[in-house]
Amino acid sequence: MKYALTYADVRRVKRLAKQLKATAPELPHAQRLDKAAVELCGARNFHELNRWFDRFINQHVYTPDGPNSVSHCLFCDYRFAADYKPDHKSHRDVHERLLEAEDKLGYRPGTYTERERMKQEGYEQMRREENEADRVDGLLMITRSWFDRSLHSAVMDGYWTKHPTFDAYVAMMIPHLETMDSVMAATLAARFGRTPGMISKGQTYWSPR
């Protein structure tokens, strides 16, 4: 491979293959994919491009030693049986969903471990810091962890294009934050606004109505 393949490269190849239907209608779709892979990425065919993309995806996968080990993708947070081929296909599907969202949004929601770390640090900052602004930032970190979990769920369920931005999400969560600390919640409401009724009471997930 001449360069590091990205999700954007694969999308460009697929887009060109669709365009080739107009200029080379005699070619079946598989051959149009091959032609696009050669022209844009220098691959011998689309199958080779797919293998390059698999390597790109699997660079994030950690598989511990030992029989019956469970692989864990540190990018998309998917866990799967290392020796079970259908699981590898499922992983690629999940991984591509996150890649597509990241490509369009310029942002990837944190993994479970990243979200839990962010939430813990936020609670500690709220308790530890004496400066009010720093404590508010701690509450905002907690809210960010909830936002990432909500967005990740939206990506997995296919409605991420409708998910609110972080700023809009904070405004929706103000009623919940008021139950945690009314003074700090008022500070965040002054910054982000207050949009009640968009997220069910006691919940942190946003979903389309």
Side-chain angles (χ1 to χ4, degrees):
M1 183 167 52
K2 296 179 180 179
Y3 58 90
L5 189 74
T6 67
Y7 177 71
D9 293 324
V10 177
R11 289 189 63 201
R12 284 170 53 235
V13 166
K14 291 182 178 180
R15 192 180 305 120
L16 178 57
K18 286 185 178 180
Q19 294 170 355
L20 288 172
K21 187 174 183 179
T23 58
E26 74 283 359
L27 294 179
H29 182 62
Q31 289 186 23
R32 294 198 302 270
L33 284 170
D34 288 342
K35 184 176 176 62
V38 172
E39 290 184 11
L40 294 181
C41 297
R44 287 176 294 183
N45 48 48
F46 189 71
H47 177 71
E48 182 174 61
L49 188 78
N50 252 327
R51 287 194 289 106
W52 290 353
F53 191 52
D54 280 338
R55 286 205 295 269
F56 168 74
I57 289 176
N58 290 331
Q59 68 180 323
H60 302 283
V61 174
Y62 168 71
T63 304
D65 296 329
N68 303 317
S69 61
V70 176
S71 295
H72 179 209
C73 181
L74 304 180
F75 178 89
C76 68
D77 221 13
Y78 193 74
R79 296 177 187 273
F80 56 100
D83 57 353
Y84 188 52
K85 193 171 183 179
D87 273 10
H88 285 266
K89 293 180 66 175
S90 297
H91 167 232
R92 175 161 171 162
D93 177 61
V94 168
H95 202 105
E96 285 190 357
R97 293 186 201 182
L98 264 297
L99 286 171
E100 180 183 13
E102 182 185 46
D103 184 56
K104 296 287 182 60
L105 300 174
Y107 180 81
R108 174 184 63 84
T111 63
Y112 173 79
T113 299
E114 291 167 339
R115 297 193 305 263
E116 287 300 302
R117 184 185 303 117
M118 191 188 315
K119 185 166 60 177
Q120 181 179 353
E121 290 176 358
Y123 277 116
E124 289 178 357
Q125 189 161 320
M126 282 181 62
R127 291 193 298 265
R128 184 180 65 245
E129 298 295 338
E130 296 182 2
N131 183 282
E132 184 69 15
D134 291 336
R135 296 181 66 238
V136 170
D137 284 344
L139 183 57
L140 203 57
M141 288 173 63
I142 296 169
T143 310
R144 171 69 74 173
S145 73
W146 294 335
F147 170 81
D148 278 11
R149 183 173 61 180
S150 179
L151 179 58
H152 188 278
S153 178
V155 172
M156 293 300 101
D157 290 339
Y159 58 85
W160 60 270
T161 57
K162 301 177 182 178
H163 196 279
T165 63
F166 177 65
D167 287 8
Y169 177 86
V170 175
M172 295 175 186
M173 286 298 297
I174 292 298
H176 180 73
L177 299 180
E178 288 170 343
T179 67
M180 299 174 63
D181 190 296
S182 59
V183 175
M184 287 192 287
T187 299
L188 291 178
R191 188 188 312 177
F192 296 97
R194 187 178 190 277
T195 313
M198 302 301 293
I199 296 176
S200 300
K201 184 177 180 180
Q203 298 295 316
T204 58
Y205 289 96
W206 179 90
S207 61
R209 294 176 178 271

